[in-house]
Amino acid sequence: MLVCLLPVPIALRGRHISPRSLRETATEELTMIIGVPKEVKDHESRVGITPHGAKELTTAGHKVLVETHAGELSAFTDGDYQDAGAEIAGNAAEVWDNAEMIVKVKEPIEKEYVFFREGLVLFTYLHLAPLPELTDHLLQKKVTGIAYETIRDRHNALPLLTPMSEVAGRMSVQVGATYLEKERGGRGLLLGGVPGVLPANVCIIGGGIVGTNAAKIAIGMGANVTLVDLNLNRLRELDDIFNGRVRTLASNLYNVSYAVREADLVIGGVLIPGAAAPKIVTRQMVSTMKKGAVIVDVAIDQGGCIETAHPTTHSDPAYEVDGVVHYCVTNMPAAVPNTSTLALTNATFPYVMRLARAGAKTAILEDPGLADGVNTYNGVLTCEPVATNQQKPWQSIQTLLQ
């Protein structure tokens, strides 16, 4: 195994020198240089590692490079990271060029592609299915891309997708309630109504983590809630969970059309892990909705489950189609960065520590659930749903590592 014996300079001039080339074999402990760049996606204010995480890593002998102000919008200062033993880098290039593993929140955008290089481990949400250009760059540069959203646990659940789905599901209702206000283009409805006035109708498409959390908030605000899902057993579970306070509908063309037409607020929360979301609500269905009704498509980071939805940003979050307000921000949880960062890193940090301690290859071999998270490896696409969506060849990570 390898251990860092020499201090690694923050900026390496001239030709690139891999941090691994500065190491020597000395003990059985592996130490790693972990980089935490500042997120650059529009209004993305979360951060990949908290000061608490940095403290755990540095105590274990790893080196943590944090771009200056990376945690500021999540209420973590550079001083907090320095107190935890991390080093502060002056710009993104210093972090990306010197780190062996980059820990982010959102998928890299075009201005970050220049930092990709062979052997780099990238641990973040990737959502590659609708992003062929990003996929191509990861493959060309032979980056090991490990996606939070496709890692599975021993129960076959998606542990790193769950916390942000919880946040986005709960936010979807409060965002939808805001856009139902007249000044935002909505129908001028109070979601819960008042005595003598009916509450709004909320239709939730998908009974997973997003849909369940959306239903909790919508019920709490007093709305009439209808939840649509394809899985009848899941509908039975939800009926028990909410003690009959949610109307459940089996997903079919007729039921979806009816529920959407009657709704004041439609929330899209459909997920096929790693793949593009199916278009459950068609353009024709949207055209039958009430003028001033609102759609919040939480599935938009996987392409969206509403046919009229397209990605928007926190800077320009909403638009109208056929008089229906669409809110389709791809990084909704960034609006509440302190809550979101803490919730996310609670789930991601054990994997960060495992990757740092064992190295990517060993950690992947030891944990089949982590192996499910590998989307690109050494120039090969390793996620079948992404390959299917982009019509690219793929190989399983287990085959590549045999």
Side-chain angles (χ1 to χ4, degrees):
M1 290 294 182
L2 301 174
V3 63
C4 183
L5 298 177
L6 298 173
V8 180
I10 294 294
L12 300 176
R13 304 302 180 191
R15 69 180 181 85
H16 175 75
I17 302 173
S18 168
R20 284 286 187 189
S21 68
L22 298 177
R23 296 172 177 235
E24 297 179 12
T25 302
T27 74
E28 290 302 313
E29 287 276 333
L30 175 67
T31 62
M32 182 179 281
I33 304 171
I34 297 130
V36 186
K38 188 176 188 295
E39 297 292 326
V40 292
K41 188 167 184 170
D42 182 77
H43 279 65
E44 181 51 69
S45 42
R46 292 169 288 179
V47 64
I49 293 178
T50 64
H52 171 76
K55 179 66 173 178
E56 294 285 330
L57 287 164
T58 56
T59 299
H62 306 291
K63 182 173 182 177
V64 181
L65 299 178
V66 180
E67 184 180 353
T68 185
H69 306 308
E72 197 169 72
L73 296 177
S74 291
F76 306 124
T77 67
D78 286 354
D80 293 334
Y81 284 102
Q82 288 174 314
D83 290 345
E87 296 183 21
I88 302 300
N91 55 57
E94 294 176 1
V95 175
W96 285 86
D97 286 351
N98 290 282
E100 296 164 280
M101 177 168 66
I102 291 290
V103 180
K104 280 174 47 62
V105 176
K106 289 301 288 180
E107 71 280 354
I109 63 174
E110 187 175 356
K111 65 191 283 188
E112 295 174 296
Y113 297 171
V114 67
F115 299 130
F116 294 172
R117 67 177 190 273
E118 183 173 353
L120 178 69
V121 177
L122 176 62
F123 191 41
T124 187
Y125 286 118
L126 285 175
H127 298 295
L128 291 181
L131 299 172
E133 183 181 355
L134 172 57
T135 304
D136 289 342
H137 278 83
L138 291 170
L139 294 174
Q140 289 165 11
K141 294 296 185 178
K142 297 186 176 181
V143 174
T144 298
I146 306 176
Y148 293 163
E149 71 273 10
T150 57
I151 289 174
R152 293 186 180 272
D153 61 19
R154 60 184 177 180
H155 305 295
N156 206 36
L158 303 167
L160 307 194
L161 190 61
T162 296
M164 293 304 93
S165 295
E166 291 170 333
V167 171
R170 295 179 183 217
M171 281 189 65
S172 67
V173 178
Q174 70 181 50
V175 167
T178 299
Y179 276 88
L180 277 172
E181 295 173 6
K182 195 64 179 176
E183 69 175 41
R184 297 295 189 103
R187 300 189 67 225
L189 293 179
L190 182 64
L191 199 67
V194 294
V197 180
L198 290 173
N201 295 321
V202 176
C203 171
I204 301 170
I205 310 294
I209 302 298
V210 168
T212 302
N213 280 272
K216 288 178 181 178
I217 302 305
I219 291 169
M221 294 180 73
N224 287 324
V225 181
T226 299
L227 202 153
V228 182
D229 198 277
L230 194 62
N231 187 328
L232 294 180
N233 287 330
R234 180 57 180 166
L235 291 178
R236 293 183 181 104
E237 291 173 355
L238 291 168
D239 186 63
D240 287 342
I241 290 170
F242 292 112
N243 199 27
R245 290 178 295 168
V246 169
R247 294 180 295 175
T248 59
L249 276 179
S251 182
N252 58 52
L253 188 62
Y254 179 85
N255 283 346
V256 173
S257 298
Y258 169 79
V260 167
R261 184 172 64 251
E262 295 297 311
D264 301 299
L265 170 61
V266 173
I267 295 169
V270 176
L271 172 71
I272 299 177
K279 305 301 182 188
I280 305 298
V281 177
T282 67
R283 180 176 294 273
Q284 191 278 330
M285 292 178 191
V286 172
S287 71
T288 68
M289 292 178 68
K290 305 167 188 174
K291 302 305 178 186
V294 176
I295 289 173
V296 178
D297 195 346
V298 181
I300 194 64
D301 54 7
Q302 290 290 120
C305 63
I306 315 289
E307 190 174 12
T308 49
H310 64 73
T312 62
T313 66
H314 286 289
S315 295
D316 188 15
Y319 61 93
E320 288 190 17
V321 175
D322 293 331
V324 177
V325 179
H326 290 57
Y327 179 97
C328 305
V329 174
T330 57
N331 58 333
M332 286 177 61
V336 286
N338 187 266
T339 296
S340 295
T341 292
L342 292 171
L344 177 61
T345 55
N346 283 344
T348 59
F349 186 75
Y351 291 92
V352 172
M353 184 63 85
R354 196 176 309 162
L355 287 161
R357 184 178 62 246
K361 182 176 180 179
T362 300
I364 292 164
L365 285 169
E366 291 177 347
D367 185 347
L370 180 59
D372 286 337
V374 182
N375 281 209
T376 63
Y377 186 86
N378 197 29
V380 179
L381 186 58
T382 54
C383 181
E384 184 178 9
V386 174
T388 300
N389 279 112
Q390 298 186 13
Q391 298 183 329
K392 287 182 168 69
W394 74 287
Q395 295 183 51
S396 73
I397 186 64
Q398 290 83 0
T399 300
L400 291 175
L401 294 181
Q402 280 179 352

